[in-house]
Structure formats: C-alpha cells, structure tokens
Amino acid sequence: MPTPIRRIIHIDMDAFYASVEQRDNPALKGRPVAVGHCQERGVVAAASYEARKFGVRSAMPSLIARRKCPELVFVPPRFDAYRAVSAQIHAIFARYTPLIQPLSLDEAYLDITHPLLRRASATAIAEEIRASIFEQTGLTASAGVSYNKFLAKLASDHRKPNGLFVIPPGMGQAFVAPLPVGTFHGIGPATARRMNGLGIHTGADLRACALDILKHHFGKAATFYHGIARGVDDRPVEANRPRKSLGKETTFLQDLHAESELAQAMDTLVAQVWAGCVKRELSGRTVTLKLRHADFTQLTRSQSFPHPIKNEATLREAGSRLLAPLLPLTKPVRLLGVSLTGLVLPGQPAADRQLSLLP
C-alpha cells in the first residue's frame, strides 16, 4: 500500500504578544504597540502590525524603535497571560491530532495526515482551527497547509496577517523558485549572505547549485538546502520534541568594564542555568559562553565533557575557563550568556543523548 501524502499545517499567531495586549486593553487597539521597555538597554520583544508599518521589529533596540515611531506605545511583557492563551490554542490543536510540534508559545506544526476529526480536507481543518482560535481568544492566526514542514511554514508567512495559503503536492518546487533564500526557514541572515556571495539569490539559484558545491560551503546542512530548493523536506513533526539546550543571557543596563563585575554576572547566570537543570532533571555535556561587546562584536566559546556535568560548581568552573582567555577586557561588555547543550536525563546512556538537528 503506498505511503499517504503527508498533510502538515503550520499555525502562527499574528503579532501574538502585542495582539494580546491590544485585546486586553482596548485603548491600545489601532495604535503602534511594542512589548518591552523603553529604556537605554531595552529591546522590543514584539511589535503590533501598526508599529511594523514604521519599521519597528522584534529584537530591535527600544531607542531605535522609538526614533522610527515617536508615537510608539511600550507595554511591559506579561508572560503569564501569553502562556495562558497559548494553552488555549494548543488545546484546540489537540482536538485534531496528537502530532503537535510547538516552536514557541504562538507557533506550531501539526501533522494531520491521520486526523482525529475527519474533515473534507487539510484546508478545512486549518480554517476550522483558525475560526476556533478567534472564537475562544479573540485573536487571529495565519495558517499554511502543505505536504511538508518547510512548505507549510512558507505558506503561513505568505498571507499574513489573518490568512491561509495552501501549497499542494507537485507545486512546491515552483513556489520556492522565485523566492529569496533569505526568506527560507532554516537559512539565517549570515547563511543568506554567504549564498548571495556565491550567486545564490533565489530558490531557483539554490536548485541549480550542485550538492557537492553546497557541501563544500555549508557542510552537513547542504543536504537540507538541496532538498528545500526542490520542495522536499522529510523531517517529521516531532511531538514532545526534547529540549536541545538550557541557557540564560543578560544585556546589562550599563556596559561592564571591570572583570569583577563580569565574574559576578557569570555566577548569576550559572546559578540560573543550573536551577533550570535541577527543575527539569537534566544535565549536559557542552558548555557555551557568549559575550557581546558594546560595539556589537560577538564571541562564543564552548567546551565539551565526556560525561554530563554533575553540579553547579563544575558548570561555574567551565564557564570561568571559557572566559579566562578573553581577559583582560579590551572593550566594554554589553551582553553575557551561558548555555548547556548535549542534554541528557540522569542515567541516560550515551547512545541516547540528543544530537543536533538541521534547522
């Protein structure tokens, strides 16, 4: 019996955090809203569509956002409220399939190849989900429907906000061909720039590039890039996908100049990361340090261990060893981060340890 064509839906809430704030405070409706703090070191966590018209985007420094949009209204984030709405949304997803892969509070893949509730088509299910979300939360969602994750994600972006788009079987390669590679999920800005430097600007350019050449320039990721240029993506929807990392980072209110201040910040971050490990009963084998200078140049350093780290003191020692070669400081430090990857459960054998996946 032939394998059925997969039916994948990608649901993405529209300007989620900002939309929750506008819903809960009618005075914000129709106004440019940024979730975050308007202060010297603040960063925009989310922007309403009214704010996006002025060029305001998430992860943008708050002062730059204010310059772009003087009428911008900043509201502090309320993550408890966002998590509560996310739970409502995921309960709706669960009516149709157990195969749900959350990407964040407001975004998920659903595999409805074998749905729990029969409907005429995957598109009908996507429409029903969007209608239920709006009825229960008062918020809009965009949906993409296709036969793999990569195309479903592209489709949901295609008709935002509050839209639905379908890429049917056989149409993936043609749909991808004219699109800039920088719009592809899994190709970040740095990779897109490298591709542009090789003359790869669109999906058609990427398809024309031989796999051997892609492997030479992009290593293991080349097979993924080679596939998506042809509308091929065999990655499954991973329900209960295991966590890949635990980490914390902080952007300082004032740039740090003293090594003692940096060491204190390191201790705080290590304590937070280890508390997360204890809470989730996880440990890991690789420690990564991220340091960003005031001029936005960034350094990362990692160290891997043959066995999972057993306690906070070991994690702190590893972080200190990674930091030591970067001292004395030659430039002020804006951000410091510590993360732990290669996560394992207590007693989990080495063969079962999580490996990194393609984007």
Side-chain angles (χ1 to χ4, degrees):
M1 186 174 179
T3 302
I5 295 174
R6 291 196 298 162
R7 298 190 294 173
I8 309 298
I9 298 175
H10 179 259
I11 299 287
D12 192 3
M13 299 299 293
D14 298 321
F16 181 55
Y17 294 174
S19 295
V20 171
E21 298 301 335
Q22 290 178 316
R23 180 198 68 176
D24 293 350
N25 182 357
L28 296 176
K29 288 185 178 179
R31 301 179 66 185
V33 173
V35 176
H37 299 280
C38 186
Q39 56 191 32
E40 185 177 355
R41 312 295 287 193
V43 174
V44 174
S48 69
Y49 283 99
E50 295 87 352
R52 294 182 190 187
K53 292 177 181 177
F54 293 87
V56 177
R57 296 287 185 270
S58 61
M60 178 179 287
S62 297
L63 296 185
I64 293 177
R66 173 70 83 189
R67 286 199 294 270
K68 287 181 174 289
C69 180
E71 303 301 318
L72 190 62
V73 179
F74 281 87
V75 294
R78 298 181 299 136
F79 290 106
D80 287 345
Y82 310 147
R83 281 190 285 266
V85 176
S86 180
Q88 289 180 279
I89 295 165
H90 282 76
I92 294 170
F93 297 161
R95 299 175 191 168
Y96 299 91
T97 177
L99 297 177
I100 303 165
Q101 181 181 334
L103 302 180
S104 60
L105 290 177
D106 63 327
E107 184 181 3
Y109 291 112
L110 287 68
D111 187 331
I112 55 155
T113 308
H114 303 288
L116 299 176
L117 297 177
R118 293 288 175 181
R119 296 293 185 266
S121 66
T123 305
I125 290 178
E127 285 282 26
E128 197 169 295
I129 288 173
R130 294 177 63 243
S132 295
I133 289 172
F134 184 75
E135 179 182 356
Q136 293 190 28
T137 71
L139 303 172
T140 62
S142 294
V145 182
S146 197
Y147 52 95
N148 63 46
K149 288 164 64 173
F150 172 73
L151 293 174
K153 168 72 173 171
L154 277 182
S156 68
D157 288 340
H158 195 62
R159 288 282 171 82
K160 269 188 161 293
N162 195 23
L164 183 149
F165 191 75
V166 181
I167 304 175
M171 295 300 294
Q173 180 170 295
F175 183 82
V176 166
L179 299 179
V181 292
T183 65
F184 293 177
H185 184 61
I187 296 181
T191 300
R193 286 193 295 270
R194 290 175 62 197
M195 287 186 175
N196 293 165
L198 296 170
I200 301 171
H201 298 276
T202 67
D205 295 334
L206 184 58
R207 188 175 72 247
C209 191
L211 179 58
D212 286 347
I213 294 175
L214 291 175
K215 285 183 176 179
H216 175 73
H217 290 282
F218 303 105
K220 293 181 180 179
T223 302
F224 175 73
Y225 300 152
H226 186 265
I228 62 176
R230 292 158 175 75
V232 176
D233 176 14
D234 295 328
R235 294 173 302 160
V237 171
E238 298 176 288
N240 302 314
R241 184 180 183 181
R243 178 183 284 269
K244 295 286 182 270
S245 66
L246 278 168
K248 292 288 183 181
E249 61 182 43
T250 183
T251 300
F252 304 113
L253 290 175
Q254 294 183 338
D255 296 333
L256 300 190
H257 298 262
E259 295 176 19
S260 59
E261 295 175 320
L262 204 57
Q264 185 176 355
M266 169 76 76
D267 286 347
T268 301
L269 290 170
V270 165
Q272 292 173 338
V273 172
W274 191 253
C277 290
V278 172
K279 179 180 179 180
R280 296 169 178 84
E281 298 186 4
L282 292 170
S283 185
R285 297 175 53 248
T286 300
V287 181
T288 299
L289 173 78
K290 178 166 74 171
L291 185 147
R292 183 178 300 157
H293 293 114
D295 61 3
F296 285 89
T297 57
Q298 183 168 299
L299 300 170
T300 58
R301 298 290 185 269
S302 297
Q303 180 182 3
S304 294
F305 296 83
H307 304 290
I309 289 174
K310 293 184 178 180
N311 53 53
E312 182 178 336
T314 304
L315 179 59
R316 182 176 292 105
E317 290 169 7
S320 298
R321 279 196 299 271
L322 293 172
L323 181 61
L326 307 180
L327 302 176
L329 293 174
T330 58
K331 293 182 284 189
V333 174
R334 174 185 173 87
L335 175 148
L336 187 68
V338 176
S339 63
L340 190 60
T341 56
L343 301 182
V344 295
L345 295 167
Q348 184 178 352
D352 292 340
R353 289 172 185 158
Q354 300 169 29
L355 302 177
S356 62
L357 300 176
L358 288 173

